[in-house]
Amino acid sequence: VSELDTVAAREAELEAFRSAAHALVDGVADYLAALPSRPVWRPLPDELREKLLDLPLPEEGTSLDALAETALRDVLAYPMGNGHPAFFGWVNPPPSPAGVAASLAAAAMNPSVVSGDHADIHLERAVVRWLAELVDYPHRPGAGLLTSGASAATIVCLAGARSRALANAGYDLRRDGLAGAPRIVSYVPAEAHSCVPRALALLGLGSEAIREVPLADGRLDIPTLRASIAQDRGGGALPALLVGSAGTVNTGAIDPLDAFAHVAAEESLWFHVDGAYGAFGVLDPAISDRYRGMERADSLTLDPHKWLGVPVDAGCALVQRPDDLRDAFSLIPPYLRQGAGAEVGTFAEYGLEQTRPFRALKTWATIASRGRAGIAAQVARANELARELASLVESEAELELAALPETSIVAFRARPDGCPPESLDALNHALPQAVQARGRAFVTGTIFDRRETLRACILHPETRSEHLAILVEEVLAAARTLATAP
Ligand SMILES: *Cc1c(COP(=O)(O)O)cnc(C)c1O
C-alpha cells in the first residue's frame, strides 16, 4: 500500500465520518425534540430485545451511515425515560444539550486526563474549582477531582479519611495495612446512601464499626452521639469519621450539617458530606441557610450528573486539604513530590484511576451554558415544584405525604379507597411499576420509615405543573386499579 493510498483512505474515512456524524446530530436533535410527545418509557418489543442480546460479532466492518441509522432506530428509540419532563424516577435528569455536544468533542480529543500541558488538564482543574464555588465550598488547587460518580468519589474521600486517622494515631497504613491498627469507627445516619457503607466495607472498615448517628425529626442528638464516641474511645477503638447528607436520596432531607460540623470539630473526626444529589440546592436562596456547616466538611461529594444534568458520568470529590488524598493515593513518596516539579500532583495521585476520561469538557459546557444564575434558577424552580407536588398530594384523600419536601424530592404513599390497611405496603410496592407501564409518568419507590414509599425526584428543567398533575392522576389511577384487582 503506497503512502498516497493511505492518505486517500484516511481522507475517505474522515469524509464518511463527517457525513454520518452530521446525520447522527440531526437524528439526535430530532430525538430530543420528540421526547416530550412520546411515552415516558415503553418496554422493548420482544424481538428487538432478543436481537440486541444475540447480536452476532460482525466479521466485516459496517459503514458509519448504517451504524448511525441502527443506533437511532434500535437504541435511542427505547430510552430509560429520563429525557421526559414527566420522569420522576431515582435521581436521573435529562442531559444538558451543551453536555451532549461537548461529549463528541471530548471523544475526538480523547486524552488521558492525568498530567501534562494539554488543555483538558487545566480545564478539569478550573471545573473542579467552579463546582466548589457553586456550592460555596472552600477550594485550594489540587483539592478535588472528577470521578465516575459519587460512589467512586465517596471511596476517594473516605480513603483520605482512613489514611489521615491512622497517620494521626501513629500507624503506617501504606506499610502495615490495617493489621495491628485500632478499629476505625464511623458514625453514619440511617438515611445515608448505600455508597457510604459500601465504601467503608471496601476500605476494610466492616459494618460492625459503623454506629448510627442519633437523628430524630432532623435534629442531631449531640449528647447521645458524644456518649457513643466516648464509649468507643474508652473501648480502645479509633472514632474517625462522621457522615452527613446534604440531601438524602429517599426524601431529599438535609441533615443539620452545622451541628455535625460542631461535633466533628470537638471530637477530631473527619466530617464527610454526601452532596451527590442535594448540595446544589444551596443555590436556592429559600433554603441556602439549611446548608450551613457544609463548608466545614473535610470532604464533600457532588454529582454533576444529577441536578446539573451533565451527561453521565460526572461525579466530584472535594477535600479541604489536597494532601489527605495524596497521602492515600500517591505512589510518589513525599520526598520526591517536590522534585517531580509540582506543588499540585498528577490527577492519578489523588484518586482511583490512572487513565482518566475527559469529563471536564461536558461539565464545563453544561455549567457555562447556563451560568451560575441559570443553574440557581433551575434549582429553585425544582424545589418550588416539589412544594407544589406536596400540596397536590395533601389535597388528595387517597394519597399521603411521607415527609415534607426540603429540596426537590417528594416522598408519598397511596391509600386508595377499599384497600385494607394490611395490604397498603404490598400495593405501594407494586405501584411504581404499574405507573411506569401506563407510560404517562415515571416514578420509583423506596422504603422509608420502614414502609413502602413512592419518591418523585424533580430534576428536569422542563417539568411544569401539568406534569405534576399527570403524575398524581396516574398514581391515583394505578392505585385504584391495584386496589380492585382480584
Ligand atoms: C446518587 C447518589 C449517590 C451515588 O452516586 P453515583 O453517582 O450513583 O455513584 C450517593 N448519594 C446520594 C445522596 C445520591 O443521590
Side-chain angles (χ1 to χ4, degrees):
V1 186
S2 77
E3 195 176 316
L4 273 179
D5 286 346
T6 316
V7 170
R10 180 173 156 75
E11 277 175 5
E13 195 181 7
L14 287 178
E15 266 323 300
F17 165 77
R18 190 185 299 277
S19 84
H22 272 294
L24 187 66
V25 167
D26 281 338
V28 167
D30 291 345
Y31 159 82
L32 292 172
L35 277 176
S37 55
R38 296 241 197 116
V40 181
W41 171 80
R42 54 183 178 158
L44 271 73
D46 292 341
E47 323 82 73
L48 178 59
R49 188 182 309 109
E50 269 157 42
K51 178 178 153 193
L52 292 176
L53 285 168
D54 295 339
L55 274 181
L57 172 68
E59 190 57 34
E60 307 294 338
T62 312
S63 77
L64 289 191
D65 282 331
L67 293 179
E69 200 186 306
T70 305
L72 290 169
R73 186 191 60 229
D74 291 349
V75 184
L76 272 77
Y78 295 93
M80 174 171 153
N82 48 326
H84 196 287
F87 182 93
F88 301 96
W90 303 291
V91 192
N92 296 96
S96 75
V100 175
S103 297
L104 177 67
M109 223 175 145
N110 200 33
S112 175
V113 189
V114 181
S115 66
D117 189 21
H118 25 113
D120 46 278
I121 300 283
H122 308 306
L123 193 64
E124 179 162 338
R125 299 222 180 274
V127 159
V128 169
R129 174 174 51 76
W130 278 13
L131 288 165
E133 288 175 5
L134 270 177
V135 299
D136 274 333
Y137 188 75
H139 184 69
R140 287 205 264 151
L145 76 173
L146 298 181
T147 64
S148 63
S151 300
T154 302
I155 296 171
V156 168
C157 292
L158 301 194
R162 180 183 70 167
S163 157
R164 184 179 169 89
L166 286 174
N168 287 347
Y171 293 87
D172 187 339
L173 178 66
R174 287 296 188 92
R175 190 188 62 202
D176 301 327
L178 292 172
R183 169 167 268 186
I184 295 176
V185 181
S186 304
Y187 304 85
V188 180
E191 283 290 305
H193 189 275
S194 57
C195 75
V196 171
R198 183 170 57 189
L200 291 172
L202 283 170
L203 291 166
L205 314 177
S207 57
E208 289 287 306
I210 300 179
R211 309 276 178 264
E212 187 178 323
V213 170
L215 272 171
D217 298 325
R219 302 187 75 86
L220 177 65
D221 179 350
I222 295 180
T224 303
L225 174 58
R226 294 197 70 171
S228 156
I229 295 167
Q231 192 184 0
D232 286 323
R233 212 168 257 137
L238 181 60
L241 173 70
L242 178 60
V243 175
S245 181
T248 60
V249 71
N250 276 341
T251 64
I254 304 159
D255 287 336
L257 302 174
D258 213 30
F260 277 57
H262 167 78
V263 174
E266 294 280 304
E267 298 283 355
S268 304
L269 306 180
W270 177 291
F271 178 32
H272 173 75
V273 172
D274 178 354
Y277 152 66
F280 297 107
V282 74
L283 287 159
D284 176 358
I287 57 167
S288 56
D289 274 2
R290 297 280 294 108
Y291 290 81
R292 208 174 323 111
M294 185 163 81
E295 73 290 347
R296 286 200 277 160
D298 294 282
S299 57
L300 171 65
T301 48
L302 305 175
D303 253 346
H305 66 205
K306 289 190 174 154
W307 219 331
L308 299 190
V310 175
V312 173
D313 61 6
C316 181
L318 296 172
V319 290
Q320 296 276 354
R321 299 164 300 271
D323 276 349
D324 286 340
L325 295 186
R326 217 170 183 194
D327 289 345
F329 289 101
S330 178
L331 290 170
I332 303 173
Y335 62 90
L336 287 182
R337 285 183 199 159
Q338 263 72 37
E343 280 300 311
V344 175
T346 76
F347 281 110
E349 285 181 73
Y350 297 82
L352 300 163
E353 297 166 311
Q354 183 62 44
T355 303
R356 299 177 70 255
F358 191 6
R359 301 181 177 106
L361 196 69
K362 61 189 177 183
T363 310
W364 162 79
T366 298
I367 298 173
S369 69
R370 292 183 184 150
R372 190 185 181 286
I375 296 169
Q378 183 199 327
V379 164
R381 175 86 185 117
N383 291 338
E384 194 184 311
L385 284 167
R387 291 191 291 272
E388 190 181 323
L389 176 58
S391 4
L392 285 181
V393 165
E394 282 189 306
S395 70
E396 292 290 344
E398 291 174 287
L399 299 177
E400 67 182 3
L401 209 51
L404 272 175
E406 281 192 82
T407 48
S408 77
I409 296 175
V410 182
F412 62 105
R413 304 185 184 99
R415 46 174 190 205
D417 293 340
C419 181
E422 67 276 12
S423 306
L424 279 176
D425 239 18
L427 181 133
N428 280 285
H429 178 73
L431 200 44
Q433 269 201 339
V435 172
Q436 293 162 18
R438 297 167 60 90
R440 291 184 68 218
F442 195 108
V443 68
T444 50
T446 187
I447 296 190
F448 177 66
D449 244 357
R450 279 173 289 173
R451 291 162 69 190
E452 293 286 344
T453 304
L454 302 186
R455 53 179 292 294
C457 181
I458 300 166
L459 295 175
H460 201 305
E462 285 146 44
T463 298
R464 307 267 175 269
S465 303
E466 72 202 63
H467 302 109
L468 307 181
I470 292 174
L471 175 65
V472 168
E473 241 172 75
E474 291 297 292
V475 168
L476 284 171
R480 286 169 189 153
T481 307
L482 286 171
T484 55

